[in-house]
Amino acid sequence: MILKIVKYPEPVLSQPGEPVTEFDDKLRQFVADMFETMYAAQGIGLAAPQVAVSKRVTVIDLSMGKDPAQKLVLVNPEIIARDGKQYEEEGCLSFPEIREKIQRAFKVSIRAQDERGKWFEMDGEELLSRAFQHEIDHLDGVLFLTRMSPLKRDLNLRKIRKMQREGTW
Ligand code: NI
């Protein structure tokens, strides 16, 4: 089932998600729905707060559905190490048409549970590292807007307000 993706400034996007404690069929169905929703929106990452569910669940697939081996489900994820820097353009499904360069760690190590509750660790570099950081930020209620320079943030907020006035947001 395709879920509705909420846009900034929906309050749920700014709230930290609740840890997941039940690894049941309901969670697995929700994860399947998140993948379906992300693919329909042509994204590479989607966090539960973006579909108005305040829980610490995110899905990532850099291949956008082309390679099943790249499907990642992160439940209750945390970043356990960061290394280096990268400054690349980023987008977010909750900010349609907004793209901005954001500074992130070049490499991160994460620890997370899968949809059955099993803990695992994983490293990511470049785009995967950026996706980990962007999506885990969502679970903490942190939006990429707040990672921009104050100048870029103001410019993008103005752009959003203009789209809101025109009814295109
Ligand atoms: Ni996002």
Side-chain angles (χ1 to χ4, degrees):
M1 183 176 73
I2 293 178
L3 308 169
K4 184 180 183 279
I5 297 176
V6 297
K7 281 182 279 193
Y8 176 84
E10 198 65 43
V12 68
L13 291 171
S14 302
Q15 292 161 7
E18 291 286 329
V20 173
T21 52
E22 304 284 324
F23 295 84
D24 52 10
D25 287 344
K26 202 177 152 213
L27 174 68
R28 287 182 281 277
Q29 183 57 53
F30 177 60
V31 165
D33 289 344
M34 282 186 69
F35 274 113
E36 195 182 342
T37 304
M38 179 176 75
Y39 293 143
Q42 295 187 298
I44 58 167
L46 183 69
Q50 294 183 277
V51 292
V53 174
S54 197
K55 289 209 168 151
R56 300 186 72 81
V57 182
T58 177
V59 297
I60 292 171
D61 181 354
L62 300 188
S63 81
M64 290 170 88
K66 291 185 191 78
D67 176 9
Q70 293 195 46
K71 287 177 78 171
L72 293 173
V73 178
L74 311 182
V75 182
N76 301 326
E78 33 183 316
I79 292 172
I80 52 175
R82 325 170 165 259
D83 191 34
K85 280 179 189 167
Q86 56 173 321
Y87 185 60
E88 297 294 336
E89 214 172 67
E90 230 171 87
C92 179
L93 293 175
S94 296
F95 290 82
E97 291 181 53
I98 306 286
R99 293 195 68 81
E100 203 60 75
K101 280 194 163 187
I102 307 283
Q103 187 175 297
R104 300 281 189 186
F106 179 79
K107 182 182 171 184
V108 293
S109 303
I110 60 136
R111 179 178 180 264
Q113 284 168 287
D114 65 17
E115 69 267 54
R116 301 200 170 266
K118 190 173 175 288
W119 284 99
F120 64 97
E121 287 185 14
M122 197 176 170
D123 296 335
E125 291 186 355
E126 297 183 293
L127 182 58
L128 183 57
S129 168
R130 193 139 29 90
F132 283 154
Q133 293 169 80
H134 181 110
E135 300 312 327
I136 293 172
D137 265 357
H138 271 301
L139 306 186
D140 293 330
V142 175
L143 298 172
F144 85 143
L145 196 66
T146 67
R147 300 279 186 207
M148 294 174 193
S149 68
L151 180 70
K152 290 283 172 60
R153 184 162 57 235
D154 286 350
L155 284 170
N156 282 301
L157 278 171
R158 243 175 280 163
K159 196 173 159 185
I160 291 166
R161 281 191 208 109
K162 185 166 177 279
M163 284 190 272
Q164 284 171 326
R165 278 198 304 276
E166 291 167 348
T168 54
W169 182 258

